Amino acid sequence: MRKKMIAMLLAGGQGSRLYVLTKDLAKPAVPFGGKYRIIDFPLSNCVNSGIDTVGILTQYEPFELSEYIGNGQPWDLDRMGGGAFVLPPYQRNTGRDWYKGTANAIYQNLRFIERYDPDYVAILSGDHIYKMDYAKMLEKHIEKGAAVTVAALKVPLSEASRFGIIIADGNGYITEFEEKPKNPRSDLASMGIYIFSADKLKKYLTEDEADPQSENDFGKNVLPKMLEAGEKMAVYGFEGYWKDVGTVDSLWEAHMDLLEASDLNLYDKNWKIYSRSPVMPPHMVEEGAEITGSMVTEGCVVGGKIKKSVLFAGVTVEKGAEVNASIIMPGAVIKSGAKVCRAIIGEKAVIEVGAKIGSEDENAKITLVGPEAKAEAGKEIEAGAIFGKEAAK
């Protein structure tokens, strides 16, 4: 049962900035890229990095995410001596506690970690789009003799206040760390991806839990405490594609990146992204339909015009309908004469005959139609609007 490294995947986020998309769905379970969900990316990274034991910490709206993960089979994580394990908060003899912060969530699952007696523990976020070889990060961690290694990337200084900011010396060790500073002094941002030596993780989580003033957060509390104690803290520079798809704009932008020449390549046979895909027939392109620069997934029936868009499984676009620069999530229907532009259409939403969603203006804000919402025939939903099924009543 003993493992060199296991992963703990924080997947309990609400994702409130995605509004109606996450009203009844955890952010890591939001559909992405035509046939995936956001959580598929860190899970696939684990498998491709040789990690075969993953604890998945859920909290907000866990049912669909838990059902999706199942026994971990799509990611080759249905194993006897490891696998994928969904870890919601649970009742103990001392009572029941929700996860109070990222550090507390891991603390509450120390018994799970101890079961595998790993030398190292990777702490991952379940709601970012990226590809990373955690084995290479582990090599750097061991080489540096670090207590913790933090993955980091360069960000525009104007956006740095959104992140944990790292100042490192010339040898790759962290000398200062500030969580979301108002006036950042560096553009090197933490990605919220950590590799801990297991004994150090247990020590500092236990101390953090005993501190009544702590917010039980890695960035706010645990990392600064380790720095203060003089622990060796290394930085692992990451240069590939990475995006936090926690807003409507960033979710739309990441899909547009898929359609352009970017580092986000879903067709790399050496680093596959695995998913639990529905069993559906091949997509059907009807006579007279036009599709350019788009991704169309299985089960779709397209009779209209599709340009620079991503269609998820089971989408219908009727003859005479137009979809441009948009994301159409599973099972949505775009009826004849409807026009959808610069928009995200949620699962099983229906855009009725002649409805107009969004704007063709390249500077227009992204329009969001929520899951199961229905835009009535001839209805116009302006650019930047958020339209849910409650609004249709």
Side-chain angles (χ1 to χ4, degrees), residues 312-332:
F312 284 75
V315 165
T316 299
V317 180
E318 295 183 351
K319 288 183 182 294
E322 296 181 17
V323 175
N324 183 21
S326 294
I327 305 163
I328 315 298
M329 291 187 170

Side-chain angles (χ1 to χ4, degrees), residues 189-210:
S190 167
M191 299 168 66
I193 298 168
Y194 317 112
I195 290 181
F196 280 86
S197 296
D199 57 339
K200 296 293 186 180
L201 177 65
K202 183 177 180 180
K203 168 182 166 59
Y204 283 97
L205 287 183
T206 303
E207 290 180 3
D208 180 70
E209 191 66 20

